[in-house]
């Protein structure tokens, strides 16, 4: 059978790529069969990965859109955000409330989105999840041009932007079914990195478009409203392309079924919850600070507003998500060589030091030190995201092997069970980790309200990171467990 037939779903002598008449369902899918994979399976998997990355990237872009928009809404005439650039505590609090809301909703949606793929199919749900992004974008474009719109309407729109955060789980779950065990790690890494980069591109592109809007009209409230509208509507054609592309070119796999037993086992395993706690520190910090970074820069260094076009580059806020996204694969790579737990301990220790440097920069009023410290923090969160994901399959593999050995069970079946449980645990851990972004921003908001400064929140983060380093050492570096010495083969196969 030809690769063309594989891509188009035509029938042939081989059953490998036959589809049902409706919905582009693949009735037979054997990625671990080398002949199947090389005869067209690889091409079909790559095609689905490409459209998945595109849709997920847009999901992250819309998810984080409020992190940038709030910095211009005061100038656009919305009183509840006026004075943000002068450090007005009420405006800062409202801005952090608007940026944290999509974080919480996106985290909550990650679990049901994971289960949606086996129920509705990857093609249909990718198209649906992409199309849902039109609601928060078109809604914001409409209401931002109504100067009297109350804050609760924008809170609702910010919550709807959380649809973009849920896309991560459905996208990752879908792609995991397309690739053989030995290639899932690379495919999922590409999928995750493509999504994370959506944060950086939004924080780079939106300020440019908002500034362009004011240059095309006037630097007044109406000009800022036009600029915000322009920066939001730019995503609409891409969302439409992602939706139509998914419907036209993606596939669904008939045999992609959820494993309820593995989810139950994962939920009762203490390591699922320990790793969820650690992932709050890595991914929660990455997404939380990504949302808050533009607001933090504007609130703490209002003088940058006088610099002009350099401020247009999101006050360089996009660099945080940019370096954090690219350091994630490095975290997995170095963990393969040195051990995930060792790298995670080093990451949390480094994050505590970076936070101390951030506080020092605020005390000194030094923006260069502030930016360098934050970029170091973002790099460490990216490495930590890779190292903690590296640990998860190793932990479940080690436990399953130990249990099988003690009870005389088949090691092959134990390894298969470990992979299923690790996959289920990753969905839970990802959702809880993302919720950490909401907690982080709320801590900043409450610290600013109650103490007139964000420093108490930063010191609390530093202490939490040190606790997380201790937890990692206690459970995974002591000789009684020594996860760092478990073979990296398990990670490569999950």
């Amino acid at each position: 059978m030809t690769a063309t037939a594989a891509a188009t779903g035509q029938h042939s002598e081989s059953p490998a790529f036959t589809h049902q008449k409706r919905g582009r369902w693949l009735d037979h899918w054997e990625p671990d069969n080398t002949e199947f994979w090389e005869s067209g399976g690889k091409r079909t998997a790559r095609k689905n990965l490409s459209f998945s990355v595109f849709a997920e990237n847009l999901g992250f872009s819309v998810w984080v859109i409020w992190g940038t928009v709030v910095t211009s809404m005061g100038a656009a005439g919305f009183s509840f955000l006026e004075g943000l650039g002068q450090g007005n505590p009420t405006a800062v609090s409202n801005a952090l409330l608007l940026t944290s809301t999509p974080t919480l909703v996106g985290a909550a949606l990650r679990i049901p989105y994971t289960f949606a793929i086996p129920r509705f199919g990857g093609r249909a749900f990718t198209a649906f999840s992409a199309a849902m992004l039109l609601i928060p974008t078109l809604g914001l474009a409409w209401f931002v041009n109504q100067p009297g719109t109350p804050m609760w309407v924008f809170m609702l729109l910010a919550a709807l932007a959380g649809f973009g955060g849920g896309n991560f789980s459905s996208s990752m779950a879908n792609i995991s079914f397309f690739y053989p065990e030995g290639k899932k790690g690379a495919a999922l890494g590409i999928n995750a990195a493509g999504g994370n980069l959506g944060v950086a591109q939004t924080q780079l592109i939106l300020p440019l478009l908002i500034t362009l809007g004011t240059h095309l009209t006037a630097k007044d409230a109406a000009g800022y409203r036009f600029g915000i509208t322009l920066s939001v509507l730019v995503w609409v054609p891409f969302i439409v392309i992602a939706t139509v592309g998914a419907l036209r070119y993606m596939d669904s796999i008939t045999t992609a079924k959820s494993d309820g037993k593995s989810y139950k086992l994962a939920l009762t395993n203490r390591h699922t919850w320990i790793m969820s706690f650690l992932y709050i520190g890595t991914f929660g910090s990455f997404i939380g600070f990504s949302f808050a970074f533009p607001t933090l820069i504007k609130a703490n260094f209002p003088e940058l507003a006088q610099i002009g076009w350099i401020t247009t580059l999101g006050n360089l806020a996009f660099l945080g998500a940019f370096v954090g996204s690219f350091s994630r694969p490095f975290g997995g790579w170095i963990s393969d060589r040195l051990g995930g737990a060792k790298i995670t301990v080093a990451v949390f220790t480094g994050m505590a030091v970076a936070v101390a440097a951030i506080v020092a920069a605020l005390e000194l009023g030094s923006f260069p030190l502030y930016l360098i410290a934050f970029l170091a923090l973002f790099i460490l969160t990216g490495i930590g995201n890779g190292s903690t994901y590296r640990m998860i399959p190793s932990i479940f593999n080690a436990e399953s092997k130990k249990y099988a050995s003690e009870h005389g069970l088949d090691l092959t079946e134990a390894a298969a069970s470990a992979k299923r449980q690790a996959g289920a645990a990753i969905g839970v851990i990802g959702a809880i980790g993302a919720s950490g972004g909401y907690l982080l921003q709320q801590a900043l908001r409450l610290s600013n309200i109650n103490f007139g400064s964000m420093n108490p929140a930063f010191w609390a983060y530093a202490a939490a990171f040190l606790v997380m380093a201790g937890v990692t050492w206690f459970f995974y570096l002591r000789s009684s467990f020594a996860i760092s010495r478990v073979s990296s083969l398990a990670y490569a196969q999950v």
Side-chain angles (χ1 to χ4, degrees), residues 167-336:
N167 286 13
F168 177 83
S169 288
S170 60
S171 181
M172 295 289 275
N174 183 44
I175 292 305
S176 70
F177 289 117
F178 276 95
Y179 279 81
E181 294 297 336
K183 299 181 184 296
K184 281 185 181 181
L188 294 176
I190 292 170
N191 205 50
N196 288 352
L197 281 172
V199 179
Q201 73 189 27
T202 294
Q203 292 181 340
L204 172 62
I205 294 172
L206 258 67
L208 288 169
L209 291 175
I210 292 172
T211 299
L212 175 63
T214 61
H215 279 269
L216 291 175
T217 54
K219 201 169 184 180
D220 57 12
Y224 276 100
R225 290 196 293 272
F226 175 74
I228 292 172
T229 303
L230 184 65
S231 71
V232 173
L233 291 181
V234 71
W235 304 110
V236 171
F238 295 103
I239 294 171
V240 173
I241 292 171
T243 303
V244 175
L247 286 172
R248 185 174 177 83
Y249 297 108
M250 289 188 73
D251 306 290
S252 299
I253 300 174
T254 306
T255 56
K257 302 296 181 183
S258 59
D259 187 352
K261 180 181 179 182
S262 293
Y263 273 95
K264 291 179 182 177
L265 290 172
L267 289 173
T268 57
N269 191 313
R270 64 173 181 167
H271 295 292
T272 297
W273 305 106
I274 295 170
M275 292 306 300
S276 295
F277 175 64
L278 299 182
Y279 204 53
I280 286 174
T282 56
F283 184 75
S285 295
F286 170 79
I287 201 65
F289 281 124
S290 292
F291 274 78
F293 201 23
T295 295
L296 295 180
I297 291 177
K298 188 162 187 176
N300 291 314
F301 295 93
E303 66 275 10
L304 292 180
Q306 308 303 318
I307 299 178
W309 277 93
I310 192 170
T311 306
T312 299
L313 296 179
N315 290 332
L316 305 180
F318 77 96
L319 287 175
F322 184 78
V323 298
S325 299
F326 275 102
S327 64
R328 181 169 186 158
F330 176 73
W333 176 81
I334 196 172
S335 295
D336 279 342

Side-chain angles (χ1 to χ4, degrees), residues 355 375 398 422 435:
V355 168
L375 292 183
S435 70

Side-chain angles (χ1 to χ4, degrees), residues 390 393-395 397-398 401 419 486-494:
R390 162 65 176 82
S394 295
I395 292 168
N397 185 62
K401 282 184 176 179
K419 283 184 280 187
V486 174
S487 169
S488 65
L489 180 62
Y491 173 74
Q493 291 180 337
V494 172

Side-chain angles (χ1 to χ4, degrees), residues 341 398 473-487:
W473 172 85
F474 183 83
F475 285 102
Y476 305 123
L477 276 181
R478 293 185 305 154
S479 58
S480 60
F481 205 87
I483 276 296
S484 64
R485 293 193 288 273
V486 174
S487 169

Side-chain angles (χ1 to χ4, degrees), residues 377-395:
L377 181 63
F378 273 108
I379 290 171
L380 289 167
T381 63
I383 295 173
N385 288 336
S387 65
T388 49
Y389 255 57
R390 162 65 176 82
M391 291 169 63
I392 296 166
S394 295
I395 292 168

